[in-house]
Amino acid sequence: MLNEIKLEHYLPYINSLPESNIITPDDVLNSNFLIEKDNNIEMYYAPHNEYINRDAKVVIVGITPGWTQMKAALLQAKICLREGASTDQILEQSKRAAGFAGTMRENLIEMLDECEMNKAFGLSSTRQLFEKHFNLLHTTSVIKYPVFVKEKNYTGHTPKIGRSPLLTNYAYHIFLHELKEIKQDYLLVPLGKAVTEVISDLAKQGEIPMERCLFGFPHPSGANGHRKKQFMQNKQQLQTIVKKFSQHI
């Protein structure tokens, strides 16, 4: 399945999307963009997670792109098409536009700065990872394409990843293959319990260095009402992991 999913197949559908922000779920959550369906689970295409920054020093991992990210990626891809961009340019620009787009990015930057990750890389703020120093960052998801359950963003819990062969394959095989393409040592930031469970399993299997994973980092979603409390409980531990990593950069 992995090798069959190519941007080129979806370019005509992307090009025919409505202009600007008037794209609605009905425009993309349809057979044109459907990758696979498993009971109530539907996986759709978005281009941004096809881009892999193999030189990344920071890898931030979500569960799966939600509607906000999917929309941002497709809008950017459409703009790139209009400007005559190459396939590689479309993928990279879509990644820049969609990587934890929206309020999640602001919350994420705030917590990363409090972990002193900006200091580790000599930055005034980790906001620069999403801008001028994008070369240091790789954002991705354990399930790389947008997944919806009963037309709602998949959160990693209903069903759990391990209860779906489709989700298990993406989380434990395709995602791991992606990580192995990164050439540098990197800090890994898992967002949310479901992602942490996958990363922890892979670390226990020796696939990911446990000491470089920021376990306990809260999910940056505005819907996570316990975000700040959870962060303060783990702040010192997270700062220690970042500091140890910075000493070997």
Side-chain angles (χ1 to χ4, degrees), residues 176-207:
L176 181 58
H177 177 77
E178 176 181 338
L179 286 185
K180 288 183 179 296
E181 292 201 39
I182 299 174
K183 297 181 291 187
Q184 310 287 334
D185 288 343
Y186 55 83
L187 279 171
L188 190 150
V189 185
L191 304 180
K193 292 181 180 179
V195 176
T196 296
E197 185 175 319
V198 172
I199 300 298
S200 179
D201 287 346
L202 293 174
K204 288 172 184 175
Q205 293 166 18
E207 300 287 2

Side-chain angles (χ1 to χ4, degrees), residues 2-93:
L2 178 63
N3 294 328
E4 296 172 3
I5 301 169
K6 297 291 185 183
L7 171 64
E8 288 79 5
H9 172 78
Y10 297 93
L11 288 180
Y13 304 124
I14 293 172
N15 200 38
S16 65
L17 288 172
E19 297 294 333
S20 190
N21 285 321
I22 62 171
I23 290 179
T24 69
D26 286 343
D27 294 318
V28 294
L29 302 187
N30 55 49
S31 59
N32 290 341
F33 292 92
L34 183 66
I35 293 174
E36 196 163 347
K37 181 179 172 65
D38 179 16
N39 294 320
N40 291 326
I41 303 169
E42 295 180 333
M43 179 181 288
Y44 292 91
Y45 182 79
H48 59 295
N49 278 343
E50 284 191 36
Y51 174 81
I52 301 174
N53 179 7
R54 292 169 175 82
D55 297 314
K57 288 288 191 178
V58 179
V59 178
I60 304 175
V61 186
I63 182 67
T64 185
W67 165 244
T68 300
Q69 289 174 274
M70 183 182 186
K71 179 179 178 181
L74 291 169
L75 281 171
Q76 185 59 49
K78 184 174 174 66
I79 291 169
C80 288
L81 275 175
R82 189 169 62 232
E83 295 174 349
S86 68
T87 298
D88 288 344
Q89 288 171 329
I90 292 172
L91 295 177
E92 181 175 354
Q93 291 303 315

